[in-house]
Amino acid sequence: MTTRRLFLKNIVLLSSLSLASCGWRLAEVRANSNNKGSRDQLDIYTWTQYVDQELFKTFNAETGIKVLSDVYDSNEVMLNKLQAGGGGTYSVIYPSDYMVQKMVEKGLLIELNHQRLTALDNLFPHFQNPSYDPNNRYSIPFNWGTTGLIYNSEILKTPPEDWEYLWQNQQQLNNKITLLNDVREVMGAVLKMLGYSYNSKNETEVKQAYEKLKALKGAIAAFDTDAWRNQIVAGDLLLSMCYSSDAVKITQENPQLKYVVPKSGSSLWTDTVVIPITARNIDGAYAWINFIFQPEVAAQISQRLWVTTSSRAAFELLPNKIKNDPNVFPPDSILEKCERITPLGEIEEVYNRYWTELTSG
């Protein structure tokens, strides 16, 4: 990809700048009185798997805007940091669907100006009016997928078909398994296994899930969202609860590792892109969103990071190997068993209390 540097100095208005060499067009970037920081730096708060230095370099080469990123391993960690005042530098954040709802309720996000967004029409129809954010008023869906189990098929000759596998094979898996460091995913998975909703608001059901997890805790090496990757590749782990976006890349590189969505069901998640109310570089944030959602760029991201694009136009540019991979784009038979995580209301305190008891000590 041929690039050229565009220096954005001493300008008040940058509009309709064609970046033909990259196949995309930077949306209108207007001076905004709400901008509190430098125009030539964009701070992003995101998941580890979305950190793409090649993408950052291309964006910088094309716009002159330097991208810096910090990472988090759960939506709750991200929210707590923002509420504690530690997120004032970030102009772009990647929360999951249910967290968007919470952030909107707490007044943490700006309402997006759709006139400044260039790729909304390229989204799959079911992403143009999602239930968690009607009409994408505050967020744009970036990546979606499932939560499941990745396992070493060379050692675990009987593959896991459901969450119950962890309890049935607890002795063999002792200290060789990890669960996500995410209260909603872990509690939700066990609730689903027990025949309840991922989003149960029944305290008795939540307690049952906690007791089930408590019985498994001795075999759990860690509650972890990131470090398990290297450990399972090295053979130190036999099985990990993970997001499909992480599993797909690893299984491509290590064929002995397999990914499965438990048959009783799991979560169906969408990670989004939002602009926080405290954003220092709103112009840069809009430029970033328009950049990553251009079909050619989105398709490159999908291939490089093995993530599932929400752009129909980008999907059409993908090779059949990715289009036809059921771990990347799951069939309806799997999706029908999955639930989206939704806000819990007051009973969230019950979840958090049990989670603290489970993970402490």
Side-chain angles (χ1 to χ4, degrees), residues 330-354:
D332 290 342
S333 59
I334 290 179
L335 297 180
E336 289 169 356
K337 299 177 181 179
C338 296
E339 290 183 67
R340 286 196 177 278
I341 296 177
T342 59
L344 293 169
E346 294 181 359
I347 200 172
E348 183 175 5
E349 296 180 5
V350 176
Y351 276 73
N352 290 335
R353 184 176 72 247
Y354 283 131

Side-chain angles (χ1 to χ4, degrees), residues 19-178:
L19 299 174
S21 63
C22 198
W24 64 285
R25 190 175 180 84
L26 186 64
E28 186 175 9
V29 182
R30 297 184 180 280
N32 190 308
S33 59
N34 291 328
N35 274 3
K36 304 180 183 66
S38 172
R39 287 178 174 273
D40 59 7
Q41 179 172 311
L42 182 69
D43 290 87
I44 293 176
Y45 199 24
T46 186
W47 300 88
T48 302
Q49 64 265 37
Y50 299 151
V51 175
D52 186 344
Q53 295 299 332
E54 184 174 342
L55 191 70
F56 295 168
K57 291 177 182 178
T58 301
F59 183 72
N60 176 240
E62 297 294 350
T63 67
I65 301 174
K66 180 180 181 180
V67 179
L68 299 178
S69 64
D70 285 337
V71 299
Y72 53 87
D73 64 357
S74 77
N75 285 285
E76 286 67 31
V77 167
M78 176 270 292
L79 180 62
N80 289 340
K81 183 172 183 177
L82 263 60
Q83 291 184 306
T89 63
Y90 305 125
S91 295
V92 176
I93 304 177
Y94 285 65
S96 299
D97 39 25
Y98 77 96
M99 188 54 66
V100 171
Q101 293 176 271
K102 294 183 67 171
M103 295 175 79
V104 170
E105 292 171 0
K106 295 177 181 296
L108 297 175
L109 304 180
I110 71 166
E111 185 169 352
L112 297 175
N113 181 351
H114 283 196
Q115 292 184 348
R116 300 186 67 178
L117 298 171
T118 60
L120 291 178
D121 291 341
N122 289 333
L123 297 176
F124 282 104
H126 57 277
F127 282 121
Q128 294 185 12
N129 187 30
S131 59
Y132 59 84
D133 183 20
N135 299 314
N136 293 311
R137 290 179 61 191
Y138 298 91
S139 66
I140 307 299
F142 172 69
N143 175 37
W144 62 278
T146 57
T147 301
L149 299 170
I150 187 171
Y151 65 97
N152 189 322
S153 63
E154 292 296 313
I155 298 177
L156 300 178
K157 299 300 184 181
T158 302
E161 294 184 353
D162 208 349
W163 300 110
E164 188 70 41
Y165 183 93
L166 280 65
W167 284 263
Q168 294 171 343
N169 297 273
Q170 186 168 342
Q171 185 174 355
Q172 182 183 9
L173 297 173
N174 187 48
N175 208 37
K176 296 289 186 179
I177 59 176
T178 60

Side-chain angles (χ1 to χ4, degrees), residues 126-245:
H126 57 277
F127 282 121
Q128 294 185 12
N129 187 30
S131 59
Y132 59 84
D133 183 20
N135 299 314
N136 293 311
R137 290 179 61 191
Y138 298 91
S139 66
I140 307 299
F142 172 69
N143 175 37
W144 62 278
T146 57
T147 301
L149 299 170
I150 187 171
Y151 65 97
N152 189 322
S153 63
E154 292 296 313
I155 298 177
L156 300 178
K157 299 300 184 181
T158 302
E161 294 184 353
D162 208 349
W163 300 110
E164 188 70 41
Y165 183 93
L166 280 65
W167 284 263
Q168 294 171 343
N169 297 273
Q170 186 168 342
Q171 185 174 355
Q172 182 183 9
L173 297 173
N174 187 48
N175 208 37
K176 296 289 186 179
I177 59 176
T178 60
L179 300 182
L180 290 170
N181 183 27
D182 191 309
V183 55
R184 295 301 309 279
E185 289 285 9
V186 174
M187 294 290 284
V190 182
L191 284 163
K192 197 71 174 175
M193 179 186 71
L194 295 173
Y196 307 132
S197 169
Y198 228 81
N199 304 292
S200 174
K201 295 184 179 181
N202 184 310
E203 187 168 351
T204 299
E205 295 173 359
V206 176
K207 183 178 180 180
Q208 288 180 36
Y210 162 72
E211 294 292 347
K212 192 77 173 175
L213 284 163
K214 187 177 178 181
L216 183 67
K217 184 178 179 180
I220 300 172
F223 292 93
D224 170 72
T225 305
D226 294 320
W228 65 267
R229 299 184 189 95
N230 291 334
Q231 293 174 325
I232 201 166
V233 170
D236 297 329
L237 296 173
L238 296 179
L239 181 149
S240 291
M241 181 184 186
C242 66
Y243 301 117
S244 58
S245 54

